[in-house]
Amino acid sequence: MRNTYKFIPLVCFLAACNATQPPSYQSDRDPEDRDTYVGAKGLAQYQKDQNYLVNKELSDKCSAAKVDLAVAKANEDKREIKRQTNLIDDTCIN
């Protein structure tokens, strides 16, 4: 019985450590605004966020290139049309 009393504070201490552990990542924020990742779950979310950000950047570049292509066609600028067509081929996922 006496040995049991020695383990009670240890169990309480370990329970308190888990209670104060920060969340794995800031789930209330958008991927662009997250800056804290903790543990294995945080690392997994970080990788997902980085993948999302890369895809978003490519999508934004693709959209901008399509608009610029339309402007170049309207201005009949063959050099710019070729440049924007190449950019669309590089950034747009079909």
Side-chain angles (χ1 to χ4, degrees), residues 3-83:
N3 290 336
T4 305
Y5 291 121
K6 291 179 183 178
F7 291 109
I8 290 176
L10 180 62
V11 170
C12 291
F13 176 73
L14 291 175
C17 287
N18 283 339
T20 60
Q21 187 175 17
S24 300
Y25 62 96
Q26 299 151 323
S27 60
D28 58 333
R29 294 184 184 182
D30 292 331
E32 297 91 354
D33 300 328
R34 293 181 186 146
D35 57 2
T36 303
Y37 300 91
V38 177
K41 287 183 183 178
L43 180 61
Q45 188 62 43
Y46 175 77
Q47 291 172 340
K48 289 177 187 177
D49 289 349
Q50 291 302 308
N51 188 30
Y52 166 79
L53 293 173
V54 167
N55 287 338
K56 184 176 183 289
E57 183 178 350
L58 284 175
S59 176
D60 292 346
K61 285 182 180 180
C62 176
S63 297
K66 286 180 179 180
V67 170
D68 291 343
L69 177 62
V71 171
K73 284 182 178 179
N75 294 336
E76 297 178 3
D77 185 353
K78 291 182 182 181
R79 183 172 159 234
E80 187 65 18
I81 290 172
K82 182 174 173 77
R83 186 173 156 264

